[in-house]
Amino acid sequence: MNKNILSSWNGKLPKIGIRPIIDGRRRGIRESLEATTLALANGAAALISSRLKYPNGAPVECVVPDFCIGGFAEAARVAEWFRDRNVGVSLTVTPCWCYGSETMDQDPLLPKAIWGFNGTERPGAVYLAATLSAHTQKGWPAFGIYGRDVQDIGDQNIPADVAEKILRFAKAGLAVALMKGRAYLSMGGTSMGIAGSIVDHGLFERYFGMRVESKDMTEFLRRMDEKIYDEEEYAQALAWVKKNCPEGPDRNPPAKRRDRRHKDGQWEKCVKMALIMRDMMTGNPRLIERGFAEEGVGNNAIVSGFQGQRQWTDYQPNGDFMEAILNSSFDWNGRRAPHLVATENDAMNGASMLLGHLLTNSAQVFADVRTYWSPAAVKRVTGHTLTGPAKGGFIHLINSGAAALDGTGRQTIGGKPAMKPHWDITDSEVKKCLAATQWCPSVSDYFRGGGWSSQFATKGGMPVTAARLNLAYGQGPVLQIAEGWTIDLPAKVHAALDLRTDPSWPTTWFVPRVTGSGVFRDVYSVMNAWGANHCAFSYGHHGADFITLASILRIPVYMHNVPAEQIFRPSYWNAFGTADPEGADFRACQTLGPIYGARK
């Protein structure tokens, strides 16, 4: 493992601050509740730290003051104490009544929630309702957490329904804090007229608290020509690639095939491109040691995109290897957090990948939403009758570029295919992902400059969540989500369908969960309503986490198949209508405006 390599997650990570709220009346009331309130706060902190991790694998850190908040003076002390400790998320807990608007968290940029203990001895639920009312009135949205069952005062058990909401809020709030102050590194400009790669600086600034760093793709050539990369690591990486990245069949006609010397040279360039892109994102101390101080600090990028087509790929090797290996949870340095790179500089899909990664800590698979295969079409082309999960048809997800090798599905949880955070992946699983991937010479009709394309078939049986952030004129960013599963097809059926497109690219057969109504009435309707040509998918069903995160960012969700009982948004949303949650989401987000932007 090269200890010089920086991760996107080096440095100071935001903490979650727990605010213990107490009835401030002295001479009997406050004194009787002090220990109970602090214990409740520390219990919430212990729950979060034991269940959630940062993207680098470390437990999420919570901070709890050693005194309770009974009025504004103490609230101000805690706010300052939080600022000194890099708190990025605020959770208020109380087992009792207190004075809501005097003790509430008034930082408009901190994601915030309140857990009002459901007890009868002291009315924590009354404080919750009163303070949520104040948050709604003042336009500082807060999530309300209220247990279904009454507990006895002093009961330190956190019920399952309360724990679920605390963790969902904490996970989403932490995602907001982790992206704030970081950058999207845009390498190149718009690719082939794709709207998602018309990088919108205002989107990242006003909704994510990020900036966009724009660089020309000639920076790759400069760094290659002037050897602005770690030459020792390059030699290590190239040897690793030769050992672990088997070449697949060359799909080019004989007249267009490149000779061995040419192919070897392209491997060398592709490996250098991966090193250079990573260094531009995160920096590299080895470059500073070699006298490249400016290049060595990087761009503080949490996600990036590479235009590639066509100005680069018409005469240089494509970025497929660079994108695929950086998005994976491992490389020649071993297991590590993914470096997120969006193919074709599709910043909207890059943002989707970022949200998914921050919620799951695992790799994200970038894909074209390529084809809906109906049962009738499959029968006509292959003679096969679809059954089981695929009986209503399926969607072909495929893309030449940034498909993380984790997407092979060769990692497992409970013996079933999975994609895991890097710290849970075993060396054996890394080898299986690599062995399941072939690197085919790129098709010259697409990529005149050559390069390599990863080729694999995702194993079926994985629960996955596909997501896509889109920009709508007059509305701003909007999010769509589709939970579903990957599926296996019989080998002959897979081959017949795969050969109809580019079989040198990675393929995932995806079936969204259909509900029988709206755009999720069937698989065709999901495909037909998808808002762009790309999506990002990650392991697990976490659409509810996406919805919670989107509400903090003030991004409405216009398409999802998440069960209603899992949806968790700030109480402010209720004021915009409870009979039509989707419409209320749009109205609330539009009224508030972006979290870091001026209100409309």
Side-chain angles (χ1 to χ4, degrees):
M1 182 71 172
N2 190 335
K3 301 298 183 184
N4 289 306
I5 299 308
L6 295 178
S7 160
S8 295
W9 308 109
N10 288 94
K12 218 171 165 184
L13 294 171
K15 301 177 180 66
I16 295 179
I18 314 294
R19 305 174 72 250
I21 300 293
I22 199 167
D23 190 324
R25 288 173 286 194
R26 300 280 184 174
R27 301 181 187 178
I29 296 180
R30 175 165 181 158
E31 292 82 353
S32 69
L33 294 166
E34 202 91 37
T36 297
T37 304
L38 284 172
L40 203 66
N42 283 297
L47 169 71
I48 292 169
S49 294
S50 67
R51 297 281 295 277
L52 300 184
K53 292 185 178 182
Y54 293 112
N56 65 4
V60 169
E61 188 174 349
C62 298
V63 295
V64 185
D66 59 5
F67 61 92
C68 295
I69 300 170
F72 174 65
E74 288 162 324
R77 282 177 60 196
V78 169
E80 183 178 358
W81 192 77
F82 279 2
R83 284 191 291 271
D84 292 342
R85 283 154 182 79
N86 195 34
V87 166
V89 184
S90 166
L91 173 63
T92 294
V93 302
T94 184
C96 60
W97 165 251
C98 191
Y99 306 153
S101 61
E102 295 179 13
T103 59
M104 66 190 291
D105 181 345
Q106 295 196 17
D107 187 331
L109 298 183
L110 278 187
K112 51 183 63 65
I114 304 170
W115 173 24
F117 185 83
N118 185 359
T120 54
E121 292 90 339
R122 298 288 182 179
V126 177
Y127 173 83
L128 173 66
T131 311
L132 289 177
S133 171
H135 278 287
T136 296
Q137 183 173 326
K138 294 174 183 291
W140 298 325
F143 292 82
I145 301 172
Y146 177 55
R148 179 174 291 275
D149 298 317
V150 172
Q151 294 178 262
D152 299 328
I153 192 73
D155 182 357
Q156 296 303 315
N157 175 59
I158 301 179
D161 61 329
V162 171
E164 181 181 2
K165 288 184 175 180
I166 288 176
L167 294 172
R168 178 155 291 148
F169 161 74
K171 190 185 299 182
L174 196 64
V176 174
L178 284 165
M179 69 178 83
K180 184 180 178 183
R182 304 299 300 276
Y184 176 86
L185 175 60
S186 173
M187 293 303 305
T190 304
S191 174
M192 302 183 295
I194 295 172
S197 62
I198 303 172
V199 183
D200 189 313
H201 290 225
L203 167 75
F204 285 93
E205 293 162 1
R206 298 171 68 221
Y207 285 90
F208 302 142
M210 296 169 57
R211 70 170 66 208
V212 174
E213 289 288 294
S214 299
K215 308 292 179 184
D216 193 272
M217 290 182 291
T218 55
E219 179 67 0
F220 283 93
L221 297 177
R222 183 181 80 88
R223 293 197 184 205
M224 283 191 275
D225 290 346
E226 298 181 11
K227 295 188 176 181
I228 307 176
Y229 52 85
D230 184 341
E231 293 185 77
E232 290 183 12
E233 187 189 0
Y234 164 66
Q236 172 199 353
L238 186 60
W240 181 89
V241 166
K242 290 179 178 179
K243 180 180 179 181
N244 294 285
C245 298
E247 293 182 12
D250 193 336
R251 304 285 180 178
N252 290 292
K256 293 186 177 181
R257 289 179 183 172
R258 299 176 282 277
D259 61 28
R260 185 71 255 168
R261 184 181 63 82
H262 195 171
K263 289 178 179 178
D264 288 342
Q266 291 188 332
W267 268 125
E268 292 169 4
K269 274 193 174 182
C270 289
V271 171
K272 290 175 185 177
M273 287 171 65
L275 294 173
I276 290 167
M277 177 61 108
R278 183 206 62 203
D279 291 350
M280 283 195 287
M281 289 180 68
T282 65
N284 189 340
R286 284 284 290 139
L287 300 185
I288 298 174
E289 293 170 10
R290 294 184 55 223
F292 300 108
E294 181 181 0
E295 294 87 347
V297 297
N299 288 278
N300 195 34
I302 194 175
V303 59
S304 64
F306 178 69
Q307 175 195 332
Q309 297 185 74
R310 286 185 39 208
Q311 286 75 11
W312 178 271
T313 58
D314 275 6
Y315 90 115
Q316 291 290 334
N318 63 25
D320 291 8
F321 174 79
M322 170 186 71
E323 295 163 3
I325 203 66
L326 290 180
N327 277 303
S328 300
S329 300
F330 48 83
D331 60 17
W332 44 88
N333 286 309
R335 290 162 288 162
R336 43 100 180 122
H339 301 281
L340 303 175
V341 187
T343 197
E344 294 158 352
N345 199 26
D346 184 348
M348 300 307 293
N349 221 48
S352 307
M353 295 168 73
L354 176 60
L355 300 185
H357 176 61
L358 293 176
L359 291 172
T360 65
N361 290 330
S362 60
Q364 308 294 296
V365 177
F366 184 114
D368 279 0
V369 185
R370 182 63 67 96
T371 309
Y372 164 67
W373 278 101
S374 69
V378 172
K379 181 74 172 179
R380 178 181 65 81
V381 170
T382 70
H384 178 72
T385 300
L386 295 177
T387 59
K391 65 182 180 181
F394 50 83
I395 296 171
H396 191 182
L397 302 180
I398 180 173
N399 186 272
S400 68
L405 272 58
D406 305 63
T408 59
R410 267 58 177 188
Q411 302 159 25
T412 60
I413 296 176
K416 297 181 179 180
M419 296 163 59
K420 302 189 290 192
H422 71 275
W423 58 84
D424 282 338
I425 300 172
T426 67
D427 291 340
S428 173
E429 289 171 332
V430 170
K431 292 178 181 178
K432 290 177 181 177
C433 291
L434 289 164
T437 307
Q438 295 185 359
W439 297 90
C440 300
S442 62
V443 175
S444 296
D445 289 345
Y446 280 113
F447 304 113
R448 298 174 187 171
W452 302 91
S453 295
S454 59
Q455 188 277 323
F456 60 75
T458 301
K459 286 187 74 69
M462 282 201 299
V464 295
T465 301
R468 170 71 189 190
L469 194 65
N470 296 304
L471 278 174
Y473 175 76
Q475 174 63 50
V478 287
L479 181 66
Q480 52 189 164
I481 302 161
E483 295 182 340
W485 296 268
T486 63
I487 62 166
D488 292 316
L489 293 177
K492 289 184 178 180
V493 178
H494 169 88
L497 302 186
D498 208 31
L499 284 168
R500 293 175 69 93
T501 176
D502 192 325
S504 62
W505 295 352
T507 275
T508 302
W509 307 113
F510 171 62
V511 175
R513 183 177 61 243
V514 295
T515 63
S517 63
V519 295
F520 284 94
R521 61 187 173 272
D522 53 32
V523 178
Y524 167 80
S525 299
V526 175
M527 171 79 181
N528 196 42
W530 204 252
N533 55 311
H534 292 149
C535 77
F537 74 81
S538 51
Y539 176 78
H541 288 162
H542 45 268
D545 294 334
F546 265 109
I547 290 173
T548 295
L549 172 55
S551 68
I552 299 175
L553 298 172
R554 321 292 196 253
I555 296 174
V557 179
Y558 72 99
M559 172 179 168
H560 72 82
N561 56 351
V562 177
E565 61 272 14
Q566 294 182 16
I567 296 175
F568 188 38
R569 293 185 173 112
S571 61
Y572 178 85
W573 268 239
N574 293 333
F576 290 83
T578 56
D580 174 20
E582 184 174 294
D585 187 25
F586 273 82
R587 292 187 288 273
C589 289
Q590 193 164 45
T591 301
L592 289 168
I595 186 171
Y596 301 108
R599 294 184 182 175
K600 296 177 181 178

